[in-house]
Amino acid sequence: MGSEGPERDLIPALQRTFKPHLSPVITTAIDATGTLLATGAADGILKVWDIQGGYATHTFKGHSGIISALHFFEVTPPGADDGGSSSGKTTASRKKRRAREEAGQEGQKRFRLASGSEDGKVRVWDLINRSCVSVLDSHVSVVRGLDYSAEERALVSGSRDKTIIVWDARTWKTRLTIPVLEGVESAGFVARGKIAYTGGEHGKVRLWSVESGQEISQEQEVGGEGDSIVQIVYPHGQDWLLSVHADQSLLLHSLQSVLACSENVSLPPLPVIQRISGSHDEIIDLAYLMPDQSLLALATNSEDVRIVSVASPSTGDGERDAVSGNSQFGADIALLKGHEDIVICLDADWSGRWLATGAKDNTARLWHVDPESSNFTCFAIFTGHAESIGAIALPRSIPSSSAKRAVEADQPPALLLTGSQDQTIKCWTVLPNPQGSSRKRPASAQARYTRKAHDKDINAIDVNHNNTLFASASQDRTVKVWSVDGGEVQGVLRGHRRGVWSVRFAPKAAPSLGYGGSRGLLLTGSGDKTVKIWSVADYSCLRTLEGHTNSVLRVVWLPLARHDRGLRLASAGSDGLVKVWEAHTGEVSCTLDNHTDRIWALA
């Protein structure tokens, strides 16, 4: 869509339903005109349909296994060009042939349909004569990719036998076999048939010279299981292609570097223009990033952390958000890779430019977030816990002046706190970069102190507004308040009947409840279905809020607005509900019930 006027949502509507096969349909293809649909089924039968009319035009049988790939294309009739084998013909014969074409005897376009099967064979079908033109039998495993180049008069096929084969469309003989050394799920041509692309189990788009058979894309690191490519979509004539991955993400790659060079030049990996997540899986934790909270970091039940835009969309003037670089709400901005197991917890500092993550690989990482320069790097790695890290926290103190805030936003937080299933808490010192230098590799850090904190897993940690105290919540049903500097216990909160899942200090400007003391308030949520408000002055329970029908998994204090007279908080639980409470009265202000399953995170 253009930039004139606001973007409109596309609302899909069912136009027609086909019932083509007695067995499941495995693959489909649409021709270049958008009028024909081909369907391939598990019984080895493929059919061609008139989309507008809704009826079958062709039924082809011949494959002995599942149809795994389909591709429509058109071939030039033999001798139709002046250059090939017809160069020896006389002018008179050419005139006669042209006359026959004009009379309709030879002028019809030769429409073809290529089909690949799990038997390793590729069959080429003539849609005019309704017959099989050729059977290409060289692959020894499932054929997954098919494409045709009119300029090269060649068909390329890619298979899980870890090869791609280029076939001459005039003789249907093998022109070139390229060992790809990975199971191929998609293959095709770019650059007018001079270069072939492949994608498969390694999760990377690779480029090959059709002339030499050599790979022209530089070596790339093999991706994980979720990174494997299941399909590549390339609209011919465009300067981009789209790769579809096993984790239901879509990557849009730029082809400008490919189209601007020859096929024998070594090329860097195709740059990713945009990433689109088709599914976030279960969201375990989240945190706002950037001073304007225009980005959101998500821990999505995987070893990677996704960063998405939550900036307000533009109002039709075509301008893009200065920070996120994308005006679309929910657009993927970056993917933070480094952890080797599922990320369980994350936290952002006051500036929103530093993100801490803890994972099941027993390590924590500190990331620097700089979307203006598209820089999302791991600054430091924290290794020392013997079990999964389930809680992490960064300092909350905000510099007093704008000048200090501008300087300190680019410096890493002074410390990091982690809590683990090994029942210990570690306080780590983060060393800043020496002036004028930059780190090429993440730095390793040592713990300032380690404390045996609880008798069971530690679920949450939070730091108070002036970085003097921190609190830890555990499955042992207690919350402990510690001094940041010495790591000494200042108080123990007892009262919950089940494990405590979440803990939060009240913000600096939060009003007291009349008897909370000057040291502030503490908020906890537990598996006993209750939310409690505690005084940090004497560690007594001031309020017990009841209303959830299952475990309370997360609690947060809500920001204070100028017109607010009282303090509010929100809680979320396994009952799929978010409740907003008035802290002074303990009454529920509202209940949000749009979720259909447990809610792990609030921000």
Side-chain angles (χ1 to χ4, degrees):
M1 297 183 185
S3 59
E4 307 154 1
E7 292 186 355
R8 295 175 297 173
D9 292 334
L10 297 178
I11 303 176
L14 179 64
Q15 298 294 325
R16 195 174 302 279
T17 300
F18 300 103
K19 295 183 179 180
H21 301 273
L22 298 178
S23 61
V25 174
I26 304 301
T27 185
T28 62
I30 296 177
D31 78 324
T33 65
T35 59
L36 297 178
L37 168 70
T39 56
D43 57 9
I45 298 175
L46 64 94
K47 294 189 177 186
V48 180
W49 299 80
D50 184 297
I51 295 177
Q52 190 65 31
Y55 56 85
T57 60
H58 303 74
T59 298
F60 295 123
K61 300 179 180 179
H63 287 291
S64 60
I66 295 173
I67 306 295
S68 54
L70 293 170
H71 181 69
F72 284 101
F73 62 98
E74 300 173 13
V75 296
T76 306
D81 60 332
D82 293 331
S85 59
S86 63
S87 59
K89 292 185 177 181
T90 64
T91 303
S93 63
R94 287 198 296 269
K95 288 182 179 180
K96 289 180 180 179
R97 177 173 50 79
R98 189 178 299 114
R100 289 196 303 270
E101 290 176 359
E102 293 173 354
Q105 298 175 5
E106 196 176 308
Q108 289 183 319
K109 292 182 179 179
R110 301 201 172 185
F111 294 98
R112 299 284 190 263
L113 174 63
S115 59
S117 172
E118 69 172 356
D119 59 11
K121 295 179 182 179
V122 177
R123 293 178 180 266
V124 182
W125 308 89
D126 188 328
L127 298 184
I128 302 298
N129 297 327
R130 301 172 181 269
S131 61
C132 181
V133 174
S134 183
V135 179
L136 314 180
D137 188 6
S138 287
H139 288 294
V140 295
S141 187
V142 181
V143 177
R144 289 289 294 128
L146 291 169
D147 195 18
Y148 179 77
S149 170
E151 295 83 2
E152 291 293 314
R153 292 190 180 182
L155 179 76
V156 64
S157 59
S159 169
R160 289 178 182 168
D161 63 7
K162 303 184 180 182
T163 67
I164 60 173
I165 299 176
V166 180
W167 308 86
D168 192 317
R170 288 165 289 198
T171 62
W172 296 119
K173 301 296 184 182
T174 300
R175 183 184 296 180
L176 181 67
T177 299
I178 302 176
V180 179
L181 303 182
E182 68 167 318
V184 177
E185 295 294 323
S186 188
F189 289 113
V190 294
R192 300 178 63 84
K194 300 294 184 183
I195 296 174
Y197 65 80
T198 62
E201 59 189 4
H202 290 177
K204 305 297 180 182
V205 178
R206 301 167 68 186
L207 303 175
W208 308 81
S209 170
V210 174
E211 179 182 351
S212 65
Q214 298 297 314
E215 183 175 6
I216 60 175
S217 54
Q218 295 174 4
E219 186 176 357
Q220 305 173 67
E221 184 179 353
V222 176
E225 183 178 351
D227 296 324
S228 61
I229 294 175
V230 298
Q231 181 69 8
I232 295 177
V233 179
Y234 172 57
H236 284 278
Q238 300 297 322
D239 61 354
W240 54 268
L241 59 76
L242 183 74
S243 59
V244 184
H245 296 257
D247 63 358
Q248 301 183 36
S249 63
L250 311 177
L251 297 186
L252 197 65
H253 304 264
S254 172
L255 288 174
Q256 292 182 356
S257 60
V258 177
L259 302 178
C261 72
S262 65
E263 66 270 22
N264 294 320
V265 176
S266 178
L267 294 172
L270 297 180
V272 177
I273 305 172
Q274 188 175 356
R275 180 186 178 92
I276 304 170
S277 295
S279 172
H280 288 311
D281 202 347
E282 190 171 14
I283 297 178
I284 300 174
D285 204 356
L286 51 79
Y288 279 111
L289 299 177
M290 305 307 297
D292 59 356
Q293 297 187 339
S294 58
L295 300 180
L296 193 65
L298 305 175
T300 60
N301 202 27
S302 74
E303 62 271 19
D304 304 325
V305 177
R306 295 179 180 177
I307 297 180
V308 300
S309 170
V310 289
S312 300
S314 58
T315 56
D317 55 3
E319 294 182 0
R320 294 159 70 89
D321 184 79
V323 172
S324 68
N326 197 310
S327 60
Q328 184 179 1
F329 181 91
D332 286 65
I333 303 301
L335 190 69
L336 307 185
K337 290 180 172 289
H339 284 290
E340 297 177 357
D341 208 334
I342 295 175
V343 176
I344 303 175
C345 55
L346 46 83
D347 190 31
D349 77 332
W350 63 268
S351 70
R353 293 183 177 275
W354 295 91
L355 177 70
T357 58
K360 282 188 174 182
D361 60 7
N362 305 349
T363 68
R365 287 175 178 255
L366 182 64
W367 308 81
H368 186 217
V369 178
D370 186 11
E372 292 93 340
S373 59
S374 299
N375 186 21
F376 302 86
T377 56
C378 181
F379 183 84
I381 301 176
F382 306 86
T383 304
H385 282 290
E387 299 285 347
S388 302
I389 296 177
I392 199 163
L394 289 171
R396 300 276 186 254
S397 179
I398 303 175
S400 56
S401 66
S402 58
K404 286 185 177 180
R405 288 195 291 271
V407 173
E408 293 187 21
D410 291 329
Q411 292 296 322
L415 59 90
L416 174 71
L417 290 161
T418 56
S420 169
Q421 288 184 352
D422 63 12
Q423 305 169 16
T424 66
I425 288 174
K426 290 181 181 287
C427 178
W428 309 81
T429 299
V430 183
L431 298 177
N433 277 337
Q435 189 172 4
S437 66
S438 60
R439 292 179 180 174
K440 295 183 179 180
R441 295 182 179 179
S444 298
Q446 292 185 346
R448 183 193 302 180
Y449 56 78
T450 301
R451 298 289 182 265
K452 172 67 168 66
H454 291 274
D455 296 328
K456 291 186 178 180
D457 297 357
I458 299 171
N459 294 326
I461 294 178
D462 193 42
V463 183
N464 72 344
H465 64 85
N466 59 9
N467 298 342
T468 57
L469 300 173
F470 72 89
S472 60
S474 170
Q475 285 296 110
D476 65 6
R477 299 179 293 179
T478 67
V479 175
K480 293 185 179 181
V481 180
W482 310 72
S483 64
V484 171
D485 288 339
E488 302 298 331
V489 176
Q490 304 298 302
V492 181
L493 312 183
R494 294 184 174 89
H496 282 296
R497 299 185 302 276
R498 295 285 181 88
V500 185
W501 284 100
S502 184
V503 61
R504 282 297 178 98
F505 280 97
K508 179 179 180 180
S512 67
L513 300 184
Y515 40 84
S518 59
R519 298 186 70 184
L521 304 171
L522 200 62
L523 184 65
T524 59
S526 167
D528 62 10
K529 311 175 190 178
T530 67
V531 176
K532 290 181 180 288
I533 304 175
W534 308 77
S535 168
V536 184
D538 58 6
Y539 307 112
S540 62
C541 180
L542 305 179
R543 294 270 192 280
T544 297
L545 313 180
E546 298 181 345
H548 283 282
T549 59
N550 212 323
S551 300
V552 179
L553 301 177
R554 189 60 59 97
V555 292
V556 294
W557 297 98
L558 297 183
L560 289 169
R562 292 182 179 178
H563 62 276
D564 286 341
R565 296 182 178 179
L567 192 60
R568 291 182 178 180
L569 59 102
S571 60
S574 294
D575 54 9
L577 301 177
V578 176
K579 290 182 178 290
V580 178
W581 308 78
E582 301 289 345
H584 282 77
T585 63
E587 299 294 328
V588 176
S589 176
C590 65
T591 299
L592 312 178
D593 59 357
N594 282 23
H595 287 284
T596 59
D597 204 343
R598 68 183 61 188
I599 303 170
W600 287 106
L602 288 175

